[in-house]
Amino acid sequence: MTAEGIEVSPYYVLEYPDFVHVVAYDADDRIVLVRQYRHGLGGTSLELPGGVAEPSDADALATARRELREETGYQGGSFALQATLSPDPAKLTNRLHLVVAHGVCPGRFSPDRSEQISVELVSRAQAYELALSGAIMHAQHVGLLLTALQRRF
């Protein structure tokens, strides 16, 4: 039902948990990206690390720390929530949290068994070019990366 009382039927709204994507900078100011296999694409995709919030996560920052460590091994540093957005307000109830991290350090990573992930470190200029050239194909990640590159915390 719209605000004016018009029934829209059938109409489907999907309920998913919130998720987080992280723009993480290491000590050399390089951005940590992941290249991973994506079933829908049928190939690999260069992306920001991130994932779904779990009930045990205290907040978006906890999800960001956990997902960054699991997918890349990077940890430590300072984390800040930069934005909370809707990935698709027409159909989805969840929120997407953009977290920016500075000063993260490498460590051992442990992706899920179903994930085929490699880590890539790029400069800010390279990240900008990857986003604009189509080398990063995931539209949300392009927008989030460009947003993060415009701001500092």
Side-chain angles (χ1 to χ4, degrees):
M1 188 85 53
T2 68
E4 293 79 26
I6 300 168
E7 184 175 337
V8 179
S9 180
Y11 193 84
Y12 302 96
V13 174
L14 305 173
E15 297 180 9
Y16 290 107
D18 284 6
F19 60 101
V20 171
H21 289 301
V22 186
V23 176
Y25 297 90
D26 71 2
D28 296 322
D29 205 38
R30 296 175 299 182
I31 296 173
V32 181
L33 298 176
V34 293
R35 186 173 300 277
Q36 59 186 321
Y37 178 80
R38 293 297 193 188
H39 293 293
L41 183 62
T44 60
S45 176
L46 187 60
E47 302 177 353
L48 296 170
V52 175
E54 295 191 1
S56 59
D57 294 336
D59 55 23
L61 297 179
T63 302
R65 287 180 186 280
R66 178 182 52 75
E67 285 289 342
L68 183 66
R69 185 182 62 253
E70 287 175 3
E71 291 191 355
T72 70
Y74 279 80
Q75 55 195 335
S78 58
F79 285 63
L81 179 64
Q82 184 165 332
T84 297
L85 306 165
S86 173
D88 186 348
K91 297 183 280 192
L92 303 176
T93 62
N94 61 343
R95 298 288 184 261
L96 161 61
H97 306 282
L98 172 60
V99 172
V100 176
H102 286 276
V104 298
C105 300
R108 200 175 76 147
F109 72 101
S110 56
D112 292 339
R113 290 182 58 211
S114 64
E115 295 177 315
Q116 299 171 356
I117 298 177
S118 63
V119 176
E120 298 186 20
L121 301 174
V122 300
S123 70
R124 289 173 186 261
Q126 289 170 316
Y128 188 78
E129 278 305 310
L130 290 167
L132 294 181
S133 71
I136 297 176
M137 297 178 60
H138 194 306
Q140 286 179 2
H141 293 235
V142 169
L144 295 170
L145 183 55
L146 293 175
T147 297
L149 286 169
Q150 293 301 312
R151 295 194 206 160
R152 302 237 352 150
F153 78 90

